[in-house]
Structures are given as structure tokens and as C-alpha cells.
Amino acid sequence: MKLIKKIGIVAIAALLLVGCAKNSASSETAKGKTGDSDYPKKPVEVVVGFGAGGETDTVARLVFQYASKYFDQNFAIINKPGASGELAWSEVAKAKPDGYTIAFINPPTFVSHPVQRPNAGYKIEDFRIIANMVKDPACIVVPAKSDINTMEDFVKKAKEGQLSIGYSGPGSSESLTLRQLEELGNYEFDKIPYDGSASSVVALLGGQIDSCILNVSGAINYTNDGSVKIIGVASKERSPFYPDVPTFEESGIKVYNDAYRGVAAPKDVPEDVVDKIEEAINKALADPEFKKRAEEMKLPIYYENSEEFTKTIEQIKTELTKELEKGEW
């Protein structure tokens, strides 16, 4: 009888321990979903996959300067250029999902790496998309004193086999645009890759290349000081900042390239962390002082929340997957 009682007591104790373990696991799971209620306790690193001074870096620094006002902590911009952004995005994909390391992403390039190469350093599914802040068309720029004044001049020189152009490297959206231009016009560029637009513009101004492709926001400083001129933009409508510059389409070239710029975190980041970062960005974009600065810098602000930006990225993935049928770019 005593033995039965002892067995009963042991069984009850075991059940209690199992129950405690389940409650503890449930508590940890809930904590994982909601994160640290004191977040943020320290600055958040925003990893930018391109060099300092380019349009991607410029947007990141401006937006997060103002987002810090609504976040209780600073955002620290960390430049890690290489492989058209892939090095930085691969690193963030593997980072601890605590909200203290996030990636500044710029689709379509962000999407093109894993679409083209299954063995790329990251997958889109490795990320939790947070928000977008800019939609920036590509453009072609040449030195101000160049005899190339229009897209027609540009195409003529390319067909003569005498045109070099700087771009952000293989796998980038600029690389795809150049391939599309070559296919449509039946010519080939002398394509020179750089780690971001800032480096390509330096080469352009140094006389090392004839032209370069970058985004409109990256050209503003150079058009302001009169060192370069834009000869065409790859959007369906003219840029409001350069209303006298025709689109590619107006020159008979139906090629389009709009770069998005936003942020994403490692996929298992807590939901309330995503909400706090998203809210800080949204408030920053609505800040009157920020809006004034953005207007002066000719930044095409285009906000999308997490859900909207995720859908945009999915659409870009579908389009690039179709483009891949023609080969890598």
C-alpha cells in the first residue's frame, strides 16, 4: 500500500513538472512574439550594402536621422559595400532577430540576387519586411561638357561601339536595365562595375568612363554643381524634379527601372519591434523639417507599410523570375 502511495506521489510530481515546463515554454513563446517591452535599449544598426555618399547611403542617413526623434534611440548607419549589396544582406539575414540589426534594402536589386542564384547568401524569406520610404527611377548621366545631349545621341554612340558606362555591378537593377537596353537596341556597352553610384560618378568626373547609370536622387548634387547632366530617366512619367528631362520611353525606348528603398529585419524579429521601427519611419517621413530637406535633396518619398512593401517585393520577384528565363544579368 505504501509503495502504491509513493508511486502516486511521484506520478503527481512528474505531472506538475510537465505542466510547469509547458507553462514556461508558452511564456517564452509569447515573449518571443512580443519581444522585450523595453525595446529599444540601445542604438539600432542599419546596414547599408553600398558605399558612403551614394544615393542609397544618402537616403538612409537622412531618414534615420529623423526617425531617431520618434524612437528613443539612435539609428547607426553601417556601410558594408560589396557584391551589389549581397554581402550586407547576407550578414543581416544571419543576425540575431532582436531588432538591433536591420538591413537597408533596395529592390529590385535586393530581390535579384536570390532569384538569379539559389545559392546566394540569403533568401527573401530570411527577412521580415518593415517599410519602404523612397521610389527612385534610374537615369543616365554624362559629364556636363559631353557631346552626348540626348538618349538618341547615347544610343548612336553605343551602336558605334564607343560607349563605356559605370553601374553598380552584376545582379543589380542597373545591370538588368543595361541588358534590356542592349537587347532592345542591338548594341553592347563597355560596362564597368563599381561598388555603388558614388564610385561610378567619381570615375565619370575623372574621365575614366563616358557615362553612368544611377538613380535620380544620386544625381542631384552633381547636377546642382553643374558637373553632370541627365539625358533620360527610366520612369513612365518625367521626374517632377527634372521636368525638362525626357523619359526613356519618350525617346522610343520602352525600358523602366524604379528602385525602392526600405528596411527589413531578420525573419524572426518580434512583431512589436517591427511596429516600433515602422512607426518611427512613418513619423519621420511626415516630419515638416524632414519633408523640407527631402524636397531640397529631390528625394522621391514613397511610403509603404510592412504589408504593402511585402506585396511590392513579391510582385518584383514574379517579374524578375520571368526575366531570368532570358538568362542572368
Side-chain angles (χ1 to χ4, degrees), residues 147-148 153-163 210:
D147 58 358
I148 300 174
D153 294 338
F154 179 79
V155 169
K156 181 180 178 181
K157 199 170 185 71
K159 287 185 174 181
E160 294 171 353
Q162 301 175 2
L163 186 68
D210 301 314

Side-chain angles (χ1 to χ4, degrees), residues 1-310:
M1 189 68 177
K2 288 181 179 179
L3 180 60
I4 294 174
K5 283 184 177 180
K6 286 182 179 179
I7 292 172
I9 290 170
V10 171
I12 291 170
L15 288 171
L16 288 172
L17 285 172
V18 171
C20 288
K22 285 185 177 179
N23 289 336
S24 176
S26 297
S27 175
E28 288 300 314
T29 301
K31 184 178 179 181
K33 290 181 179 178
T34 59
D36 189 340
S37 60
D38 293 332
Y39 176 87
K41 294 179 179 177
K42 61 182 181 179
V44 172
E45 290 190 349
V46 183
V47 182
V48 176
F50 298 89
E55 64 264 34
T56 300
D57 175 73
T58 300
V59 173
R61 291 183 186 277
L62 180 64
V63 171
F64 284 105
Q65 174 188 340
Y66 286 90
S68 296
K69 292 172 58 177
Y70 307 101
F71 194 65
D72 298 328
Q73 283 287 347
N74 290 326
F75 289 92
I77 305 300
I78 309 295
N79 295 93
K80 295 193 175 180
S84 301
E86 184 177 351
L87 293 182
W89 298 326
S90 299
E91 179 177 312
V92 175
K94 299 174 180 65
K96 186 177 180 180
D98 57 5
Y100 290 105
T101 303
I102 62 177
F104 199 82
I105 62 174
N106 53 347
T109 300
F110 170 72
V111 182
S112 72
H113 292 308
V115 164
Q116 293 189 86
R117 293 180 292 107
N119 63 342
Y122 66 94
K123 295 181 174 60
I124 297 171
E125 294 75 21
D126 291 334
F127 290 89
R128 175 70 163 82
I129 307 303
I130 298 176
N132 183 67
M133 52 203 74
V134 162
K135 185 178 180 183
D136 198 5
C139 64
I140 302 290
V141 302
V142 296
K145 295 181 180 180
S146 171
D147 58 358
I148 300 174
N149 295 302
T150 64
M151 286 299 293
E152 288 79 8
D153 294 338
F154 179 79
V155 169
K156 181 180 178 181
K157 199 170 185 71
K159 287 185 174 181
E160 294 171 353
Q162 301 175 2
L163 186 68
S164 59
I165 186 164
Y167 71 114
S168 294
S172 65
S173 60
E174 291 91 348
S175 182
L176 175 57
T177 298
L178 294 180
R179 188 183 81 175
Q180 291 170 333
L181 289 172
E182 289 175 326
E183 289 176 344
L184 192 64
N186 194 28
Y187 51 76
E188 289 187 8
F189 298 112
D190 178 15
K191 299 190 285 284
I192 312 297
Y194 294 92
D195 277 333
S197 62
S199 299
S200 65
V201 174
V202 169
L204 179 72
L205 298 180
Q208 299 171 35
I209 52 177
D210 301 314
S211 60
C212 64
I213 180 170
L214 69 166
N215 295 105
V216 165
S217 66
I220 176 60
N221 289 336
Y222 306 103
T223 57
N224 279 350
D225 67 18
S227 58
V228 307
K229 56 189 175 185
I230 301 176
I231 60 171
V233 294
S235 51
K236 292 190 175 182
E237 297 179 354
R238 292 193 180 195
S239 167
F241 304 118
Y242 296 99
D244 295 331
V245 177
T247 64
F248 287 7
E249 185 175 14
E250 288 179 274
S251 301
I253 304 169
K254 292 187 177 182
V255 173
Y256 313 97
N257 180 346
D258 284 303
Y260 293 79
R261 292 199 178 84
V263 287
K267 64 179 180 180
D268 293 324
V269 67
E271 198 65 29
D272 59 341
V273 169
V274 172
D275 292 342
K276 288 178 180 179
I277 298 173
E278 183 181 1
E279 181 181 13
I281 292 172
N282 195 14
K283 287 182 176 179
L285 298 185
D287 185 290
E289 186 179 340
F290 167 83
K291 292 170 77 172
K292 182 180 179 182
R293 290 280 306 279
E295 178 71 24
E296 292 170 350
M297 295 171 66
K298 293 182 168 55
L299 291 181
I301 301 305
Y302 186 81
Y303 178 73
E304 287 187 337
N305 62 27
S306 179
E307 182 180 356
E308 293 166 336
F309 194 25
T310 299

